[in-house]
Amino acid sequence: MSNILVTGGSGFIGSHIIETLKDANHKVFNIDRTKSNFGDIFEDIDINHSSKVEEFLKKNEIEYVYHIAAIANARRSLENVHETMVNNVAGTASILNACANAKIKKVILASTVWVYNAADKKNARKENGNIILDEESSILPDCGGHFYTTSKLCSEFLCQDFKSLKNLNFTILRYGIPYGPRMWPGLVLRAFTENALSNKPITINGDGSAKRRFINVKDLAKGHLLALDPKADNQIYNLEGDKDVTIKELADLVSLNIKNVKVEYIIDKTRAGELKTDSIEISNQKIKKDLGWKINVSIKEGVESYINWFKNNN
């Protein structure tokens, strides 16, 4: 059993990580600006108050830190660049500094597959017409294309610097598109579900052919538990789904569980700069090979389970 801190543990992903860690008999602490209801030991601390974070780490003899707290809404990043950089970049620097001073064993950082917007796609290997990107793909400085992507790349670079300069171990987890209970309104399955249950049309940006590889939050959280393994020290892993799902196919799955769903197709200009995966496959093979991670929840099962949860909790 280890003493573990989760930053942002009151949110969608952080709360599931807390539950998974507790199920594995770890003692879990949470700092957030919002009160938690998940049986953790909670304290309201701003992640940018590094000295307070350091004091908390030392007082509670924390061994591992999951840094999940961040601005995760890409549209919000477009609207407020400064807020995004203060929380996602300066906040990460603050947490890493506190962890280095407190001699934490390892920091596990929440990142995103959006960083592959900046990958060198011209020189990447290809299979069956798809560009294959993985943790070894080169990152180009002029290709990020979004403030959110840039903020996460900066956070990853900070982890590398703290390892080389202050010997602070890290594991970086790049998320695919998560879904499941407690997901926030900006995520696509929640938006589809809310509209369908309110007799409003599901709105799809484009023609519905855009592909995504969704990952259930329970599978995502299991990847975080596995990241405690020393084999994951100073490694980057993609927590990405196994199968392509078009946005139209996702709408069809919602229609299987909610009657009389209507669909509208629009062009949403606020979606500029988002990761396009139509001819790209982001590999999840490294974490499967190194840590034995696997996908347990299929998209069909996960959508049905989420809709049932939503009906019972809203």
Side-chain angles (χ1 to χ4, degrees), residues 4-295:
I4 298 175
L5 172 66
V6 179
T7 73
S10 303
F12 164 42
I13 293 171
S15 64
H16 286 276
I17 293 169
I18 285 174
E19 291 175 338
T20 299
L21 291 171
K22 287 178 67 65
D23 287 345
N25 296 316
H26 295 292
K27 186 175 183 179
V28 186
F29 300 76
N30 171 23
I31 61 172
D32 204 318
R33 305 315 308 272
T34 304
K35 184 72 174 73
S36 167
N37 297 308
F38 304 103
D40 53 326
I41 300 169
F42 172 82
E43 191 158 336
D44 182 350
I45 299 177
D46 187 333
I47 60 172
N48 277 293
H49 204 317
S50 192
S51 61
K52 276 194 173 181
V53 175
E54 181 181 336
E55 180 184 353
F56 183 89
L57 296 172
K58 291 177 177 177
K59 180 179 73 174
N60 294 289
E61 299 180 338
I62 301 297
E63 299 166 80
Y64 298 93
V65 172
Y66 287 83
H67 182 39
I68 313 301
I71 301 298
N73 187 328
R75 296 188 194 186
R76 184 171 166 186
S77 294
L78 284 175
E79 294 166 0
N80 196 327
V81 183
H82 181 258
E83 176 194 40
T84 300
M85 298 304 162
V86 166
N87 284 277
N88 293 10
V89 182
T92 298
S94 172
I95 292 296
L96 292 173
N97 187 66
C99 289
N101 290 341
K103 308 298 181 186
I104 297 301
K105 291 180 180 179
K106 182 163 63 174
V107 174
I108 296 93
L109 175 74
S111 188
T112 173
V113 297
W114 276 41
V115 301
Y116 291 106
N117 260 337
D120 181 0
K121 300 174 185 67
K122 289 183 179 179
N123 296 306
R125 65 186 175 92
K126 295 179 176 62
E127 291 181 6
N128 301 319
N130 282 339
I131 297 169
I132 309 299
L133 300 176
D134 61 23
E135 296 85 351
E136 301 299 319
S137 297
S138 297
I139 298 297
L140 303 176
D142 60 344
C143 296
H146 202 288
F147 300 126
Y148 175 64
T149 302
T150 298
S151 75
K152 285 301 187 177
L153 281 170
C154 289
S155 296
E156 291 194 10
F157 294 156
L158 282 167
C159 286
Q160 301 279 1
D161 288 344
F162 269 86
K163 172 56 183 174
S164 61
L165 298 173
K166 297 203 173 186
N167 200 32
L168 176 64
N169 289 328
F170 68 85
T171 300
I172 294 168
L173 300 176
R174 292 173 175 168
Y175 299 171
I177 300 177
Y179 72 95
R182 303 191 289 274
M183 64 199 298
W184 44 271
L187 296 174
V188 62
L189 178 57
R190 172 156 176 179
F192 282 7
T193 301
E194 285 183 320
N195 281 17
L197 290 174
S198 302
N199 295 316
K200 297 177 182 177
I202 288 176
T203 56
I204 293 177
N205 182 42
D207 62 4
S209 65
K211 296 185 295 184
R212 297 289 186 270
R213 290 196 167 194
F214 296 96
I215 177 170
N216 189 273
V217 71
K218 292 185 182 299
D219 289 327
L220 193 78
K222 182 62 182 298
H224 288 73
L225 178 63
L226 295 173
L228 291 173
D229 193 315
K231 286 189 282 188
D233 288 1
N234 310 311
Q235 298 295 318
I236 301 173
Y237 292 108
N238 296 328
L239 285 173
E240 176 70 306
D242 278 336
K243 296 181 179 179
D244 290 329
V245 178
T246 69
I247 300 303
K248 183 182 183 303
E249 287 170 341
L250 183 69
D252 290 342
L253 287 173
V254 173
S255 299
L256 286 176
N257 294 278
I258 302 172
K259 294 180 179 179
N260 302 317
V261 173
K262 298 176 182 178
V263 179
E264 288 183 356
Y265 296 88
I266 63 170
I267 300 298
D268 186 348
K269 294 181 180 180
T270 69
R271 307 293 291 271
E274 296 188 2
L275 177 64
K276 292 180 171 40
T277 57
D278 292 351
S279 60
I280 292 172
E281 179 181 326
I282 297 169
S283 173
N284 60 14
Q285 294 305 302
K286 181 180 176 182
I287 191 168
K288 289 181 174 181
K289 179 180 177 182
D290 287 3
L291 305 180
W293 181 73
K294 61 182 179 179
I295 299 288

